[in-house]
Amino acid sequence: MKQEADHHLEVLLTRDQIQARVTQLAEEITRDYSGAGELVLVAVLRGSVYFAVDLSRRLNLPFILDFIGISSYAGASPSRGIVRITKDLESNIVHKNVLLLEDIVDTGLTLNYLIQNLKTRNPSSLRVCAFLDMPARRIVNIPVDYYGFSLPDLYVVGYGLDYHERYRNLEVVAALKDPK
Ligand code: 5GP
């Protein structure tokens, strides 16, 4: 697969595979939280937006959709997991069931930071739902309660995931073969 003749992309997950899996996840989450009151879905900007939209549309539950924006500190090594909140939640999550929606759990450092941060706000529960899991690259062992697909150690794009802001809008997930 070629896009704008720049990078070689190899499709790993098709649109149909992604959509079928997101439906299954939504059914599982609906079952697990039914009768538990209003759920707060916290989508991590910007990569998880496509996943959050598709998943939330299929939930049969009362929920609030909220967003949290993060970025690495300028100059800090990404491997240290020092991130900064660039857009905070609008909702108060005290005594709420919170489900964090992430595009990909790679080293786990970003999510680890976010979990620690959100826990200080005393939600009644906090779980993680990641579209992709890349366990081979994990540095911090964080619990991923729900995940869409587990992938080997590759750089992937599409379905919200970018390479220098490109490819987010692909409906498939593809490995970027020759990043440049
Ligand atoms: P972490 O390594 O902290 O688990 O992942 C942090 C963030 O890096 C993810 O939320 C995602 O935005 C980005 N990331 C990690 N692996 C990949 C990848 O394979 N492709 C893309 N496009 N982004 C990634």
Side-chain angles (χ1 to χ4, degrees):
M1 178 178 183
K2 289 263 184 191
Q3 182 165 331
E4 297 167 37
D6 263 352
H7 299 112
H8 181 240
L9 301 179
E10 186 195 331
V11 176
L12 302 175
L13 302 169
T14 65
R15 181 185 184 283
D16 286 355
Q17 283 173 317
I18 294 170
Q19 294 303 321
R21 184 67 187 124
V22 172
T23 299
Q24 279 177 348
L25 278 178
E27 286 168 359
E28 203 180 322
I29 292 165
T30 297
R31 264 198 311 275
D32 291 355
Y33 286 93
S34 83
E38 192 175 61
L39 178 64
V40 183
L41 297 173
V42 174
V44 184
L45 295 172
R46 287 169 276 179
S48 75
V49 165
Y50 294 75
F51 177 49
V53 167
D54 282 352
L55 183 84
S56 60
R57 244 203 294 249
R58 294 166 201 181
L59 291 177
N60 189 8
L61 291 170
F63 68 83
I64 290 175
L65 177 59
D66 206 340
F67 299 91
I68 195 160
I70 50 169
S71 83
S72 301
Y73 268 111
S77 156
S79 64
R80 299 212 6 240
I82 303 173
V83 294
R84 151 177 88 90
I85 292 183
T86 54
K87 186 220 166 285
D88 207 345
L89 299 177
E90 314 264 321
S91 338
N92 185 342
I93 59 168
V94 180
H95 303 147
K96 294 281 192 175
N97 291 317
V98 175
L99 184 60
L100 203 45
L101 303 180
E102 184 52 305
D103 50 2
I104 182 167
V105 188
D106 195 341
T107 63
L109 288 164
T110 308
L111 213 47
N112 186 51
Y113 171 86
L114 272 179
I115 290 170
Q116 300 315 321
N117 182 294
L118 295 181
K119 271 188 180 162
T120 65
R121 308 182 194 195
N122 294 319
S124 54
S125 73
L126 177 60
R127 287 189 188 160
V128 172
C129 175
F131 172 58
L132 297 177
D133 189 10
M134 239 173 226
R137 290 171 50 93
R138 199 75 96 251
I139 293 174
V140 194
N141 190 18
I142 46 143
V144 179
D145 303 279
Y146 306 92
Y147 67 90
F149 299 91
S150 183
L151 291 180
D153 182 7
L154 293 165
Y155 193 85
V156 295
V157 294
Y159 202 61
L161 289 153
D162 74 309
Y163 178 69
H164 296 308
E165 296 304 322
R166 290 182 60 191
Y167 304 119
R168 286 193 199 278
N169 59 341
L170 294 183
E171 291 189 280
V172 300
V173 167
L176 192 71
K177 290 299 198 183
D178 52 353
K180 56 184 176 243

